[in-house]
Amino acid sequence: MASSGDGYLLDNARPEAGTRFDALSELFDPSTFRHIEQLGITSGWRCWEVGAGGSSVVTWLAGKVGPTGQVVATDIDTSWVAGPAEGVVKVLRHDVGRDAPPEGGGFDLVHARLVLVHVTDRERALRTMADSLRPGGVLLLEDADPALQPLTCLDEYGPEQMLANKLRTGFRSLLTTRGVDLAYGRKLPRLLRETGLSDVNADGYFPITSPACNTLEAATVRHVRDALVAAGLATDTDIDAHLANVAAGRLDLSTSPMISAWGRRTAPP
């Protein structure tokens, strides 16, 4: 997570965080890497990975930019981020919603995945990232849009699927009480244009039925279990039954759509 905010629901300090990072990497790294490849990454680029969380994207970027490039990986909690390539990767504690760009800016690529939707001051964070680009540099933002597809079981044909969707509704309610914009992903193209970036494009992706979806669901429900029960959104019996259903492999679980949007800072004539 890249910016502090009161009551952040998916705290990186919880033991489930590592499992969630691994599942998110398995689900979304291929799409992220495809986008960055298409944006032209090459050796020597300076990249800023915002809200790095785990190390999968950081490691991949380091391999792409090589020894002549640099990857600055930032988060408010860097305990899950490793520096896999000494001299190429720099890990910094940084709050994108409050702090100036690290390393004086001048980045060829700035990337954030599942970050801005949780940041309290999203407008300031977006401006910070856009302002950190060198002329010709590109900003790639990837964020979920839970309101666009609110279900975890698209095929709600039985009580197990209905229970899964009940817990997903409760999770979305908890996110809303903590300031999360459940419709943020769809706004990214417009917001990139409003920051002055050009050549803005976007697409969307969400997996349906995957072992990593099961892993992510179980880790997320365990992560927020106490909050769900305390808010009266689910009972311990509900949660135990759902986790058993997930473990048994009887559910076709999906994620919220991931919207990827990118734009370029116009180079001076």
Side-chain angles (χ1 to χ4, degrees):
M1 180 50 197
S3 178
S4 62
D6 293 338
Y8 175 48
L9 187 61
L10 299 171
D11 187 354
N12 288 2
R14 290 288 299 267
E16 297 89 354
T19 302
R20 294 188 74 257
F21 290 148
D22 290 345
L24 289 168
S25 295
E26 184 175 343
L27 290 168
F28 296 115
D29 277 2
S31 176
T32 294
F33 297 163
R34 172 176 57 83
H35 286 113
I36 296 175
E37 290 272 20
Q38 292 174 346
L39 292 171
I41 190 170
T42 189
S43 60
W45 270 27
R46 293 188 70 239
C47 304
W48 177 17
E49 179 64 15
V50 183
S55 296
S56 65
V57 177
V58 174
T59 301
W60 184 87
L61 288 172
K64 288 294 180 180
V65 304
T68 61
Q70 183 185 42
V71 178
V72 179
T74 65
D75 207 310
I76 61 169
D77 179 355
T78 61
S79 58
W80 296 97
V81 190
E86 188 175 352
V88 176
V89 174
K90 179 175 285 189
V91 179
L92 300 174
R93 190 182 186 283
H94 180 271
D95 186 334
V96 71
R98 297 177 180 174
D99 300 335
E103 300 289 293
F107 293 104
D108 298 283
L109 169 71
V110 177
H111 172 247
R113 186 174 73 193
L114 296 173
V115 171
L116 282 181
V117 70
H118 296 287
V119 173
T120 303
D121 193 345
R122 286 182 279 270
E123 183 177 354
R124 177 174 178 176
L126 179 55
R127 173 57 61 185
T128 295
M129 288 188 280
D131 288 348
S132 75
L133 294 170
R134 68 163 181 79
V138 65
L139 173 60
L140 170 61
L141 298 179
E142 301 183 292
D143 251 310
D145 195 310
L148 190 62
Q149 193 296 98
L151 303 178
T152 190
C153 288
L154 302 180
D155 185 15
E156 192 182 64
Y157 63 89
E160 294 176 346
Q161 291 71 29
M162 293 175 66
L163 175 59
N165 287 335
K166 172 186 173 180
L167 294 184
R168 177 59 60 89
T169 299
F171 176 54
R172 293 171 65 239
S173 178
L174 291 176
L175 290 172
T176 300
T177 63
R178 285 156 175 79
V180 172
D181 183 350
L182 298 178
Y184 190 69
R186 72 191 72 179
K187 301 174 184 177
L188 291 176
R190 169 174 58 85
L191 295 174
L192 288 178
R193 288 193 299 272
E194 289 176 353
T195 64
L197 299 184
S198 60
D199 301 326
V200 173
N201 287 277
D203 63 19
Y205 167 75
F206 72 102
I208 305 169
T209 307
S210 159
C213 285
N214 291 358
T215 300
L216 179 62
E217 175 71 6
T220 301
V221 169
R222 290 189 176 100
H223 200 139
V224 302
R225 176 178 191 139
D226 292 345
L228 286 170
V229 173
L233 297 167
T235 66
D236 283 316
T237 299
D238 289 335
I239 293 170
D240 288 340
H242 177 59
L243 290 173
N245 293 338
V246 173
R250 292 194 292 265
L251 302 175
D252 294 315
L253 299 174
S254 66
T255 69
S256 298
M258 179 77 76
I259 308 299
S260 300
W262 56 96
R264 194 173 300 275
R265 182 176 181 184
T266 304

